[in-house]
Amino acid sequence: MLFTDEHMQLRDSLLKFIEREINPYIEQWEEEQIFPAHALFKKLGDAGFLGVCKPPEYGGLGLDYSYSVVMAETLGNINGGGVPMAIGVQTDMATPALAKFGSDELKKEFLEPTIAGDFVACVGVSEPQAGSDVAAIKTNARRDGDDYVINGGKMWITSGMQADWMCCLANTSDGPAHKNKSLIIVPLKTKGVERARKLKKIGMNSSDTAQIFFDDVRVPRRYVIGQEGMGFMLQMIQFQEERLWAGANSLGGLDKVLRLTVEYTRDRKVFGKSVLDHQWVHFKLAELATEIEALRALTYTATEHYITGKDVTRWASMVKLKAGRLSREVADTCLQFWGGMGYMYESPVSRFFRDGRLGSIGGGADEVMLSIIAKLDGTLPRPPKKEG
Ligand SMILES: Cc1cc2nc3c(=O)[nH]c(=O)nc-3n(C[C@H](O)[C@H](O)[C@H](O)COP(=O)(O)OP(=O)(O)OC[C@H]3O[C@@H](n4cnc5c(N)ncnc54)[C@H](O)[C@@H]3O)c2cc1C
């Protein structure tokens, strides 16, 4: 992928923003297990960072997806995964379907203020009993005149304690599981929404993660994104940007942890020479650097295909799979080379180890990515035909 001066300008200005507005506060936010999303997103919105690929009619910059990839990769320079993840939810996970398929009225009401940083957005797909198996969600939205009445609940919702609205997947009929769902915008201050608890996690601590219940939550039917009944399909499309974003974001963090590990192991002496000067260590780091570049090439190729309008389901699944797997390998290897310091809670490599572990689980587990790739490659066994 060829980057232009504009890509580099975006990268440089975001790096400056991170060093000024985010990294100095990360330790405090990790400690508090939440960051001030409204205050930070307003600053990001004012700087134009929340809508680089969104239509200019709603305050976006109207650029192609390569700019989102540059942004995601650069966000990997934040000293922890929680804040970038919440930014990614705002820009590439909760809003792609709204931007592509939402009515003009809906985009004015929700997309525009989200790009401006006045609203914090979240995406509600997972439920306590249904994460990988999206088709099995139970939350339902029953029609009642011009409204939907929503009952059920969502689990592990990033920014859920602070968000103004949720892009919520719900069943809107009793039909077949892939054709009975809709994506509906649920303003989270609506009566009947309960932000039940902030979940305590092993990592991503600066990001708040919520369990949310819906008890007769009434929203207008015009809050449906696109066509009713198309929600499963639209969410699968929305996942493509989520997965490309996740791959690109992991690259920034991987580069950083490798760099920090080279610095640490160069300074630290064992058996009369630096840790880095032991062949196993510099060879292994060289191998991991090669793997990171391979992931970068895969991510950029997938992005090129996406920009030209191709269906990138297979590519995006490979990017997400490789990013999750490689983050675990790099985190584990680097932590090992940091020795006891690596095992300390406050060391950057241990935070990367904890935060990065989510990559193989969130937004579709590795096994789900493998199923998608196998299905598209024609190697996934078909379910047996029902008798009779
Ligand atoms: C910090 C955090 C933030 C999150 N943010 C959000 C959010 O903002 N919005 C949202 O909707 N969700 C969010 N999630 C939920 C996340 O997307 C789910 O956890 C994920 O999709 C996996 O679902 P599950 O946890 O129910 O695992 P399960 O579906 O119970 O799966 C458990 C394990 O089974 C295995 N498995 C799954 N499918 C297969 C298969 N086909 N073959 C073999 N093995 C398989 C995998 O190892 C998987 O990890 C978040 C989760 C976390 C932890």
Side-chain angles (χ1 to χ4, degrees):
M1 198 156 67
L2 281 181
F3 289 129
T4 61
D5 287 349
E6 281 75 33
H7 290 94
M8 293 304 123
Q9 276 163 17
L10 174 67
R11 183 176 171 276
D12 292 347
S13 59
L14 184 55
L15 271 177
K16 282 189 192 125
F17 184 96
I18 290 169
E19 290 313 326
R20 193 178 65 241
E21 304 287 351
I22 302 180
N23 275 345
Y25 308 101
I26 285 289
E27 299 311 319
Q28 180 194 339
W29 297 340
E30 284 280 304
E31 191 74 24
E32 293 168 355
Q33 303 198 356
I34 195 162
F35 75 98
H38 283 96
L40 180 61
F41 284 6
K42 186 65 206 151
K43 288 180 191 169
L44 281 162
D46 286 347
F49 291 129
L50 295 181
V52 291
C53 300
K54 296 290 192 297
E57 306 90 274
Y58 307 100
L61 302 181
L63 299 166
D64 70 45
Y65 202 69
S66 61
Y67 289 86
S68 231
V69 163
V70 165
M71 203 178 133
E73 197 173 333
T74 308
L75 288 171
N77 287 283
I78 294 176
N79 292 336
V83 173
M85 176 171 69
I87 298 171
V89 166
Q90 179 96 350
T91 55
D92 293 76
M93 302 180 203
T95 46
L98 174 61
K100 284 194 176 77
F101 307 105
S103 66
D104 180 52
E105 190 189 13
L106 215 50
K107 286 192 268 201
K108 277 265 172 261
E109 199 171 337
F110 291 97
L111 186 62
E112 197 170 285
T114 303
I115 291 171
D118 293 322
F119 279 174
V120 173
C122 66
V123 58
V125 176
S126 308
E127 300 185 358
Q129 308 306 324
S132 303
D133 188 359
V134 173
I137 61 156
K138 293 278 178 284
T139 295
N140 71 82
R142 176 176 50 81
R143 285 195 212 173
D144 184 27
D146 289 338
D147 294 339
Y148 286 118
V149 177
I150 306 176
N151 281 285
K154 295 289 171 182
M155 186 69 175
W156 304 295
I157 302 307
T158 299
S159 303
M161 299 305 289
Q162 308 187 67
D164 297 283
W165 64 273
M166 176 190 284
C167 175
C168 173
L169 188 69
N171 296 317
T172 39
S173 78
D174 295 328
H178 296 99
K179 294 184 179 161
N180 72 340
K181 297 179 174 35
S182 304
L183 279 179
I184 302 171
I185 291 190
V186 181
L188 293 179
K189 290 197 179 99
T190 313
K191 189 165 164 267
V193 174
E194 186 196 348
R195 302 182 208 239
R197 60 189 173 119
K198 178 151 81 73
L199 303 165
K200 198 165 178 195
K201 312 185 290 294
I202 65 165
M204 298 292 197
N205 284 329
S206 42
S207 149
D208 61 293
T209 311
Q211 179 167 19
I212 297 180
F213 293 126
F214 301 128
D215 180 14
D216 280 341
V217 176
R218 191 171 278 276
V219 300
R221 278 182 55 204
R222 63 183 176 84
Y223 279 9
V224 73
I225 296 173
Q227 252 180 295
E228 189 182 279
M230 291 295 288
F232 186 87
M233 286 299 299
L234 299 192
Q235 183 53 42
M236 292 304 127
I237 294 170
Q238 184 155 258
F239 271 142
Q240 303 316 316
E241 290 195 9
E242 170 162 349
R243 289 169 185 163
L244 290 177
W245 188 93
N249 180 240
S250 73
L251 286 168
L254 286 164
D255 287 341
K256 185 168 180 169
V257 77
L258 209 68
R259 195 176 65 241
L260 291 173
T261 302
V262 168
E263 285 167 16
Y264 182 83
T265 54
R266 180 170 278 136
D267 283 349
R268 180 85 178 167
K269 301 278 183 297
V270 284
F271 302 106
K273 56 183 177 182
S274 76
V275 173
L276 185 64
D277 283 347
H278 291 264
Q279 193 187 55
W280 162 247
V281 177
H282 57 256
F283 271 19
K284 187 67 195 172
L285 292 176
E287 190 181 331
L288 291 176
T290 309
E291 289 281 319
I292 294 169
E293 289 310 329
L295 172 61
R296 200 181 318 274
L298 182 67
T299 308
Y300 291 175
T301 303
T303 305
E304 276 171 12
H305 289 315
Y306 189 59
I307 292 168
T308 58
K310 289 192 187 132
D311 177 356
V312 290
T313 309
R314 185 168 173 272
W315 285 102
S317 306
M318 287 177 168
V319 166
K320 167 80 173 47
L321 173 70
K322 184 67 186 168
R325 292 263 209 262
L326 188 58
S327 294
R328 289 158 74 179
E329 191 189 351
V330 169
D332 188 64
T333 309
C334 289
L335 191 146
Q336 180 70 20
F337 292 160
W338 282 61
M341 276 314 287
Y343 200 71
M344 294 301 99
Y345 199 81
E346 69 276 11
S347 78
V349 70
S350 94
R351 182 175 295 158
F352 185 82
F353 181 86
R354 289 179 280 113
D355 293 354
R357 189 63 183 81
L358 181 63
S360 282
I361 298 171
D366 286 356
E367 292 82 350
V368 172
M369 298 305 108
L370 289 166
S371 304
I372 296 171
I373 297 162
K375 187 174 175 190
L376 293 171
D377 288 352
T379 56
L380 192 74
R382 290 172 191 275
K385 282 207 173 114
K386 283 190 188 132
E387 305 260 326

